[in-house]
Amino acid sequence: MRYLVFALFLWVQPLFAQRINVDRGEAKKAYHYLNDFRMNPKKHGRAIRVNNLRGVTQTRLVWNPTLAKVAEERAKDMARRNYFDHTDPDGYGPNYHINKAGYTLNPDWLKKRSTNNFESIGAGHPTAVDGIKSFIIGKGSPGFMHRKHMLGLDDWNASLQDVGIGFVRVKRGKGYATYLCVIIAKHDW
């Protein structure tokens, strides 16, 4: 009887499981859009009706496969476990996950397991580019903080040059239909 229950569980479980699809093409489009925005802030600012973009760091971000994998896993985890936060349900933040993946960080940035110095997240955007635009506009996010992160508008964010982006779509389940994670980081200050 016990084996019959287990077999039934294995048969029925996929019917209720969330289907999470990683969209790396969308992640790369967002990467190219973000770099193009950094190089042409006036042009793109006009297009999304954002003024006062003085101080945009016109430094190209470099795609980092380790950060991309972390961003992808973070987006998948939020979709799978139905939460939307920089700190996962186990209490670990982006810095922990970035360092654990092999992108070494300054030990001072790891003292608190929930620390976030490098991640911006969004959910419910039709595309990853729409998510980047939302970060820059400040709509549905902590506003200027995400804009500073995306465009390098202060000394700290201007010093970040490695980037990884994860974008996932959820076919069914609770929560959002999409999750976006953008990690822009560096190894040391």
Side-chain angles (χ1 to χ4, degrees):
M1 179 67 177
R2 187 170 63 204
Y3 296 108
L4 179 62
V5 170
F6 182 69
L8 184 61
F9 169 77
L10 290 177
W11 180 75
V12 171
Q13 191 263 346
L15 297 176
F16 298 103
Q18 290 180 338
R19 291 205 30 222
I20 300 167
N21 294 319
V22 174
D23 193 335
R24 292 187 182 111
E26 275 299 314
K28 282 293 192 152
K29 286 178 189 175
Y31 164 68
H32 293 298
Y33 175 79
L34 180 55
N35 266 331
D36 197 42
F37 199 111
R38 283 174 157 232
M39 298 301 111
N40 304 288
K42 287 182 183 177
K43 170 188 155 189
H44 289 289
R46 276 192 305 273
I48 62 172
R49 297 188 175 130
V50 173
N51 299 319
N52 193 19
L53 290 172
R54 287 183 305 252
V56 172
T57 300
Q58 292 186 296
T59 302
R60 288 199 174 275
L61 297 170
V62 177
W63 186 262
N64 182 284
T66 301
L67 295 180
K69 183 69 175 162
V70 173
E72 191 175 283
E73 288 301 318
R74 297 274 299 131
K76 283 178 11 187
D77 188 55
M78 285 187 280
R80 186 175 26 260
R81 297 204 280 174
N82 194 28
Y83 72 96
F84 181 68
D85 200 323
H86 292 293
T87 304
D88 69 25
D90 303 317
Y92 294 98
N95 289 18
Y96 168 84
H97 292 290
I98 292 166
N99 196 67
K100 184 178 178 197
Y103 186 96
T104 55
L105 297 176
N106 183 314
D108 288 340
W109 305 337
L110 301 167
K111 289 180 179 176
K112 188 175 176 189
R113 71 182 190 167
S114 63
T115 300
N116 174 29
N117 295 102
F118 307 111
E119 180 185 79
S120 290
I121 56 174
H125 302 290
T127 69
V129 169
D130 289 327
I132 298 294
K133 289 177 183 178
S134 179
F135 290 150
I136 294 168
I137 292 168
K139 191 175 187 179
S141 72
F144 195 62
M145 295 301 293
H146 281 171
R147 184 184 301 174
K148 286 190 330 185
H149 185 225
M150 293 296 111
L151 302 179
L153 294 176
D154 59 18
D155 288 343
W156 169 260
N157 287 295
S159 72
L160 309 178
Q161 294 184 1
D162 294 333
V163 65
I165 299 175
F167 187 75
V168 301
R169 299 180 188 279
V170 182
K171 292 291 184 189
R172 71 174 157 231
K174 301 176 191 174
Y176 297 99
T178 63
Y179 292 85
L180 169 66
C181 180
V182 178
I183 298 174
I184 306 174
K186 64 178 175 181
H187 293 284
D188 209 342
W189 179 252

